[in-house]
Amino acid sequence: MFSVDRWVRRRIRTTTALAVALLAAAAAALLPGPTARATPGLTVHPGMEIRHSEIADGKKRVTRCTIGLTGSIGAAQYAVTAGHCYHEGIVTDKDGNPIGWFEHHRPDEGLKFGFGLIRLYDGIGVAASMGRFGLSTVDMKPQLGQEICKIGATTGWSCGTITEADEKWLYATNALGAEAGDSGAVVYRQTSDGHAAFVGILVAYDDAQGRSAVVEPAAWLFDQIERYGPTRDDPFIWYRV
């Protein structure tokens, strides 16, 4: 187990756009506030690229992240990403279509990772499918040596092996992949039913450990959402195929 002090010395890098990417060909200016309309036929799903735009120093800055999970709290539908992806304002897909807004988050604090909750607009489709298969269960106790895979906005589909495990974090070989824009990516393992078990979300990489990927485990993520989410009257219900 690594202490927070050692975590800092190891120069963990978050995988947004370190932390913001400048995209010259960004989409048109976003509609203000959470009153923007959803694009008909748009479906939000794990592994989907998301973007947040803002004007800083006269330039448009676009932060890229990835959706790790979808679900609901009461009647409201949500997408989950990494805590450090949070920015106030509207969230879009990669083509600039509004999908919702960041309603709530818990920031990352050293080894204690948080979450970002995107409240989805009415009319947005929501799925647990990732194309060829979808999330059908959750792996609450991933093991050392276990193969896990991810779908990130930047590095796409790739797999690695768990090398270190704690209730708050997992380390995986650099083959899992972790680059700017992959933050929040769905991490899973294949299951016998032809689908996938949700293992957690990608949150960082570690330069000092050969760019090992760092994952926030499902059990810790769900606990954080339950403790610090927008309401305790209704639980977070994750979507499955």
Side-chain angles (χ1 to χ4, degrees):
M1 179 181 295
F2 300 107
S3 70
V4 173
D5 287 340
R6 184 175 179 185
W7 171 266
V8 172
R9 291 199 299 271
R10 292 170 75 176
R11 292 175 18 209
I12 292 296
R13 303 266 184 105
T14 57
T15 53
T16 53
L18 295 179
V20 176
L22 294 177
L23 301 181
L30 301 177
L31 295 173
T35 58
R37 294 183 179 180
T39 301
L42 184 63
T43 298
V44 172
H45 57 85
M48 176 179 171
E49 179 177 333
I50 53 173
R51 299 185 179 189
H52 174 273
S53 298
E54 61 185 352
I55 303 299
D57 299 325
K59 297 180 180 179
K60 177 171 284 188
R61 298 193 177 198
V62 179
T63 303
R64 301 169 59 247
C65 283
T66 307
I67 289 174
L69 195 65
T70 56
S72 63
I73 299 176
Q77 296 192 120
Y78 290 89
V80 181
T81 190
H84 58 264
C85 291
Y86 173 87
H87 291 83
E88 291 187 5
I90 292 172
V91 179
T92 75
D93 67 5
K94 65 180 180 180
D95 297 318
N97 299 309
I99 64 170
W101 70 98
F102 274 111
E103 184 184 75
H104 205 80
H105 82 297
R106 176 74 172 171
D108 299 336
E109 297 177 352
L111 282 170
K112 295 182 179 180
F113 296 106
F115 61 89
L117 279 182
I118 302 166
R119 174 75 174 269
L120 302 176
Y121 291 122
D122 294 341
I124 289 285
V126 186
S129 174
M130 298 174 286
R132 300 187 299 241
F133 53 86
L135 298 174
S136 62
T137 187
V138 175
D139 187 343
M140 301 292 273
K141 295 183 179 180
Q143 303 296 313
L144 292 176
Q146 177 177 305
E147 183 182 65
I148 55 176
C149 302
K150 72 98 177 62
I151 310 171
T154 300
T155 57
W157 301 70
S158 54
C159 300
T161 303
I162 296 175
T163 58
E164 301 177 28
D166 181 85
E167 66 174 357
K168 301 181 184 67
W169 47 262
L170 304 171
Y171 262 65
T173 55
N174 59 15
L176 186 65
E179 296 292 346
D182 288 335
S183 282
V186 55
V187 179
Y188 65 91
R189 66 167 173 80
Q190 297 290 160
T191 57
S192 59
D193 65 358
H195 288 292
F198 179 70
V199 173
I201 60 174
L202 187 66
V203 289
Y205 63 80
D206 188 342
D207 270 336
Q209 293 292 316
R211 294 182 67 86
S212 294
V214 187
V215 176
E216 180 178 3
W220 179 260
L221 175 65
F222 291 155
D223 179 72
Q224 295 301 287
I225 294 175
E226 180 179 354
R227 288 172 179 266
Y228 306 109
T231 176
R232 296 188 180 185
D233 295 331
D234 296 295
F236 174 76
I237 306 297
W238 66 279
Y239 291 153
R240 66 188 74 194
V241 294

